[in-house]
Amino acid sequence: MISINKTLKPSDLQTKLKQFWNLSGQKIQDLDKNYDVSKGSPVFTVKGKYSTRGWTEWTQGFQFGSAILQFDATGDREFLEIGRKNTLAVMAPHISHIGVHDHGFNNVSTYGNLLRLMNEGKTEYNEWEKEFYQLALKISGAVQASRWTNIKNGGFIHSFNGPHSLFVDTIRSCRALLVSHLLGHVFQAEGDVKINLLERAILHLKATADYSVFYGEGRDMYDLWGRAAHESVFNTKDGNFRCPNSQQGYTGFSTWTRGLAWAMCGFAEELECFETLSDAELDLFGGRKETEGFMLKAAKATCDFYIEHTPSDGIPYWDTGAPDLHKLGDYLNRPAEPYNDFEPVDSSAAAIGVQGLLRLGKYLISKGDKESGERYWQAGLTVMNTLFEEPYLSTGSEHQGLILHSIYHRPNGWDHVPQGSKIPNGESSMWGDYHAREAALYLQRVINNESYLSFFGGLK
């Protein structure tokens, strides 16, 4: 269980943030100059060098989005140009990609961040450039919403596995639908039928809350408050739920911690977004109380599970049911051990999940629930305090990654095992590095009393 530091303040991390951004800039420059783009998008490191893995194209937006975040944090225009130039040159296929559930990853991280910076006045205003970013985001949200499966009580954006498959990851792609909706886009289908993007986002969020997250209510023998399944499988003939499953976790009855982190982050940031929607809009889809109620329950449950099933320093192992965890003894009551002989940690889960803790904490404090809110907020600061120092912060210039000890696909054996080690360790991932930068920028803005960082805040 995380040993929450109740006295830690955001300003206490200022020195670590300065070192973080210095290292981050070096890693981005190295990758921009030395990575062979003909190999495909960089995905994760092997022996400290970024490599690719042809599964789906879901990480390129993190590569160029990282440069955009670096500019936001430091004001160094070199990074703005890296992000802007490459977004224009290579991101267009991601807008129209009908084969993935990753539009929120690729396109909100690039076009969305560029639009936000312009609307915040951090880049020069240009009407046509603004329209370009808006058009990309409008179409991305509609394309993502078209990847749809109807079920008995709603529907969901299905994963690349096929129409039967709901991935917990996809909750962050609801951002793409909401951005498109907030920009006033109209999604049309056969016969000019207009499909409401807000409705599809809500239905997907509801399906994720109902089927991907467990609440200790007896759904199966392993039903615990906040446990999350990576994949939920449906019968597409009759729309019925069939079973939990996992592609990258150990089983459908344990919790793959990166999947848990996607849910933590996704529900918390969507709660923030829904506060900006009118009651009239939400009344069309069950009303504010119903909609925000199921999201808040899921956000609390997943964040609670993370706090209770993560080692004391805030860095989780890759799956809470990993088969050799028991060999580590009382591993939850001491700091995580990335160099152990039995099961790897996954720092990328911490980099993603920390935003869920911080955003949920702030949300609850704003609603008057100070006690609960401060628990999540302080847990988030505790995780960041660990993540932004060694052995997780990559301080060596020879390593292209920023956050060490990330895991991609343990069951498939894709992660590099160093010589002399029995488990993968010491490597980085595009998603881990990007989300660490996003969390760092979030906290830096809090410290500096800048405008609040959100995926929807710069749309107007």
Side-chain angles (χ1 to χ4, degrees):
M1 182 175 180
I2 297 177
S3 179
I4 299 173
N5 186 334
K6 297 180 181 179
T7 64
L8 197 61
K9 302 185 295 296
S11 58
D12 294 336
L13 277 74
Q14 281 184 303
T15 300
K16 289 185 177 183
L17 286 173
K18 183 177 180 180
Q19 180 189 28
F20 174 89
W21 289 118
N22 285 336
L23 291 167
S24 171
Q26 296 168 23
K27 310 293 185 182
I28 293 169
Q29 289 169 329
D30 185 352
L31 195 62
D32 183 59
K33 293 174 182 176
N34 298 313
Y35 182 75
D36 183 356
V37 295
S38 68
K39 295 180 178 179
S41 303
V43 180
F44 63 145
T45 64
V46 176
K47 298 181 180 180
K49 302 299 179 184
Y50 261 104
S51 63
T52 191
R53 167 66 69 171
W55 199 15
T56 61
E57 284 281 353
W58 72 288
T59 61
Q60 198 157 42
F62 295 145
Q63 180 187 2
F64 306 133
S66 287
I68 298 166
L69 295 180
Q70 183 76 20
F71 163 75
D72 194 346
T74 66
D76 189 332
R77 291 189 66 88
E78 174 190 356
F79 299 102
L80 174 64
E81 292 312 309
I82 290 172
R84 186 157 53 182
K85 174 189 68 177
N86 286 295
T87 296
L88 177 63
V90 303
M91 290 304 295
H94 295 289
I95 301 170
S96 58
H97 197 338
I98 64 171
V100 297
H101 54 268
D102 302 314
H103 282 247
F105 293 150
N106 277 315
N107 299 318
V108 178
S109 300
T110 48
Y111 299 100
N113 276 324
L114 288 167
L115 177 62
R116 175 180 58 77
L117 287 170
M118 183 174 288
N119 286 333
E120 289 176 346
K122 290 197 169 187
T123 59
E124 299 84 358
Y125 182 83
N126 179 288
E127 185 67 25
W128 276 103
E129 187 177 347
K130 177 181 176 180
E131 291 292 339
F132 170 68
Y133 298 145
Q134 289 182 335
L135 180 61
L137 291 163
K138 288 176 181 178
I139 304 307
S140 175
V143 170
Q144 187 70 109
S146 70
R147 191 174 178 80
W148 192 252
T149 294
N150 287 308
I151 56 177
K152 277 194 170 180
N153 55 348
F156 60 87
I157 301 162
H158 58 260
S159 82
F160 61 73
N161 272 352
H164 64 285
S165 171
L166 165 63
F167 271 12
V168 71
D169 322 21
T170 313
I171 190 169
R172 276 218 107 187
S173 276
C174 286
R175 296 182 303 160
L177 277 66
L178 288 172
V179 166
S180 185
H181 169 77
L182 290 169
L183 289 172
H185 188 54
V186 177
F187 174 36
Q188 295 188 138
E190 301 292 332
D192 293 341
V193 171
K194 293 179 174 59
I195 297 171
N196 190 294
L197 291 168
L198 174 59
E199 180 181 29
R200 288 224 161 159
I202 291 173
L203 289 175
H204 182 90
L205 287 162
K206 186 67 165 64
T208 303
D210 287 350
Y211 299 106
S212 301
V213 181
F214 290 72
Y215 303 101
E217 296 169 352
R219 280 179 59 189
D220 60 36
M221 289 297 294
Y222 307 99
D223 188 347
L224 297 174
W225 172 257
R227 180 171 80 79
H230 179 200
E231 183 180 38
S232 300
V233 177
F234 292 81
N235 182 329
T236 58
K237 296 277 189 180
D238 60 15
N240 280 314
F241 170 74
R242 296 307 306 150
C243 61
N245 191 33
S246 189
Q247 298 295 316
Q248 290 170 263
Y250 181 55
T251 76
F253 299 99
S254 61
T255 294
W256 175 51
T257 53
R258 190 161 81 246
L260 176 73
W262 291 129
M264 293 163 63
C265 182
F267 282 116
E269 67 181 353
E270 303 296 352
L271 275 169
E272 293 176 330
C273 181
F274 274 59
E275 281 197 290
T276 70
L277 301 175
S278 69
D279 289 344
E281 279 188 289
L282 293 178
D283 283 345
L284 296 172
F285 312 112
R288 183 175 300 280
K289 183 177 180 181
E290 167 69 21
T291 304
E292 292 185 349
F294 76 74
M295 287 194 289
L296 182 58
K297 181 181 179 182
K300 285 182 173 180
T302 51
C303 285
D304 286 345
F305 188 93
Y306 186 93
I307 291 171
E308 293 166 11
H309 295 266
T310 294
S312 60
D313 61 353
I315 309 298
Y317 288 89
W318 73 281
D319 192 293
T320 62
D324 286 332
L325 275 179
H326 69 281
K327 295 179 181 179
L328 290 169
D330 190 15
Y331 64 93
L332 289 179
N333 288 315
R334 63 177 188 265
E337 300 172 29
Y339 300 107
N340 75 83
D341 287 339
F342 303 108
E343 295 289 356
V345 303
D346 187 2
S347 61
S348 72
I352 297 160
V354 70
Q355 276 196 76
L357 293 167
L358 293 172
R359 292 181 184 276
L360 178 60
K362 183 181 181 301
Y363 176 86
L364 290 171
I365 291 169
S366 73
K367 296 293 184 182
D369 189 353
K370 185 177 180 181
E371 182 178 354
S372 296
E374 287 186 347
R375 176 174 178 263
Y376 296 121
W377 178 263
Q378 293 302 135
L381 293 179
T382 302
V383 174
M384 289 192 74
N385 197 40
T386 301
L387 194 65
F388 289 179
E389 66 183 14
E390 294 179 302
Y392 299 102
L393 186 64
S394 175
T395 58
S397 61
E398 73 285 352
H399 200 297
Q400 289 184 326
L402 181 60
I403 298 296
L404 302 177
H405 310 303
S406 178
I407 292 294
Y408 188 9
H409 204 312
R410 178 66 170 151
N412 276 1
W414 286 354
D415 300 279
H416 177 66
V417 178
Q419 186 174 2
S421 178
K422 295 181 179 180
I423 61 166
N425 57 58
E427 303 297 346
S428 303
S429 64
M430 267 289 116
W431 58 90
D433 288 359
Y434 174 86
H435 283 87
R437 292 179 174 109
E438 201 174 69
L441 181 61
Y442 174 93
L443 192 63
Q444 179 171 302
R445 285 186 169 218
V446 169
I447 293 170
N448 295 338
N449 291 314
E450 296 181 69
S451 60
Y452 190 74
L453 182 67
S454 68
F455 72 86
F456 56 87
L459 296 181
K460 296 180 180 179

